[in-house]
């Protein structure tokens, strides 16, 4: 499938966020992008059947060792 320049740019952002190991919100903030636009393009590209990378989801819970 041919990608328009806009589609290619936003797909590149998604791949770069994945390669950097950042959540989309952290990546959007670091690149001064709109998170809403990034998420919208992710949905749009996936709906077109374009493979988008999986999101990096940082661990929300951390194991803690309790000392008596």
């Amino acid at each position: 499938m041919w990608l328009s320049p806009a589609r290619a740019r936003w797909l590149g952002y998604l791949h770069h966020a994945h390669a950097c190991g950042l959540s989309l919100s952290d990546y959007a903030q670091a690149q001064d992008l709109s998170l809403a636009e990034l998420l919208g393009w992710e949905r749009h590209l996936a709906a077109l059947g374009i493979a988008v990378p999986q999101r990096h989801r940082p661990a929300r819970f951390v194991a803690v060792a309790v000392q008596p």
Side-chain angles (χ1 to χ4, degrees), residues 30-49:
Q31 297 295 319
D32 198 30
L33 299 171
S34 163
L35 177 59
E37 270 191 290
L38 189 58
L39 292 171
W41 274 99
E42 180 187 44
R43 281 190 307 274
H44 176 70
L45 293 169
L48 292 174

Side-chain angles (χ1 to χ4, degrees), residues 4-67:
S4 70
R7 288 177 182 166
R9 182 177 66 246
W10 287 97
L11 184 60
Y13 288 146
L14 294 169
H15 278 284
H16 192 232
H18 178 76
C20 292
L22 295 173
S23 66
L24 291 184
S25 59
D26 289 340
Y27 182 78
Q29 184 177 12
Q31 297 295 319
D32 198 30
L33 299 171
S34 163
L35 177 59
E37 270 191 290
L38 189 58
L39 292 171
W41 274 99
E42 180 187 44
R43 281 190 307 274
H44 176 70
L45 293 169
L48 292 174
I50 298 169
V52 295
Q54 290 184 339
R55 292 185 192 177
H56 175 74
R57 298 182 189 266
R60 295 188 185 265
F61 299 99
V62 179
V64 177
V66 178
Q67 299 289 328

